[in-house]
Amino acid sequence: MPSAHHVGSPSPAQAAYSTTPGRSRNMAAIRRTDTKPEIVLRRALHARGKRYRKDFPIRTGGKLIRPDIAFTRLRIAVFVDGCFWHSCPKHGQRPKNNTEYWSPKLARNVERDRLQTALLQDAGWTVIRFWEHESTDDMVSVVVRTIRMAEKRGR
Ligand SMILES: [Zn+2]
């Protein structure tokens, strides 16, 4: 099943036209889309005093790559991959309808993820990829540990 934030939630325009009681439900749905896993992770890192760049543009190998979170001095790039779009082994089930549309699209995403990871690593970046279903606490501890290791290496 696609995870919640990829399931279509009402657009702000739709919500604006709806009246009670649907209205409050719609507003709740909109708020949920604001708290995507990468945003939750950013907030948690910020709370731990970690300062990062969001969607920092990195040009390498003729590509423009924008990690969700980048520690530029330490060259650490963090991605929080959506389970559906990036074909998580647990939740990245292929849609049963329109397979000829979805299969190449999703395969391209996976291929692009691999390429981006390889290009960044070639350019000296440490790349961390999380699935959106992973717990924020786990993500934070991996990032914090990676930062500590990079600082120890004296980068
Ligand atoms: Zn997943």
Side-chain angles (χ1 to χ4, degrees):
M1 282 291 285
S3 64
H5 87 271
H6 291 303
V7 179
S9 48
S11 70
Q14 282 171 320
Y17 285 112
S18 71
T19 49
T20 51
R23 170 88 193 220
S24 56
R25 254 204 319 276
N26 286 343
M27 295 313 285
I30 289 164
R31 255 194 308 278
R32 259 203 314 279
T33 65
D34 284 341
T35 47
K36 286 192 272 190
E38 66 267 28
I39 296 172
V40 176
L41 177 58
R42 281 187 195 126
R43 283 183 192 147
L45 288 168
H46 195 269
R48 301 271 306 246
K50 305 300 175 196
R51 297 297 177 260
Y52 51 80
R53 299 288 300 270
K54 79 176 216 193
D55 302 320
F56 180 73
I58 302 167
R59 277 167 222 283
T60 183
K63 303 277 181 198
L64 177 63
I65 306 171
R66 292 176 179 275
D68 294 315
I69 296 166
F71 297 90
T72 54
R73 187 176 54 84
L74 298 171
R75 293 202 158 214
I76 298 169
V78 182
F79 297 84
V80 182
D81 293 336
C83 293
F84 173 70
W85 291 105
H86 300 261
S87 301
C88 149
K90 272 191 191 164
H91 314 101
Q93 223 175 338
R94 299 290 168 92
K96 289 190 181 63
N97 298 321
N98 293 324
T99 43
E100 65 287 347
Y101 171 77
W102 285 110
S103 297
K105 207 177 174 67
L106 295 175
R108 267 200 306 277
N109 284 345
V110 172
E111 194 43 50
R112 196 189 52 202
D113 293 345
R114 282 202 202 104
L115 177 66
Q116 289 189 342
T117 298
L119 287 174
L120 286 173
Q121 286 173 339
D122 285 351
W125 287 77
T126 300
V127 180
I128 306 172
R129 301 201 86 104
F130 294 114
W131 293 113
E132 66 179 349
H133 69 248
E134 294 181 69
S135 85
T136 305
D137 286 351
D138 288 350
M139 293 189 207
V140 168
S141 57
V142 170
V143 172
V144 167
R145 205 182 321 134
T146 307
I147 290 172
R148 209 180 297 136
M149 275 159 47
E151 281 171 342
K152 226 183 263 173
R153 280 199 306 271
R155 272 207 193 147

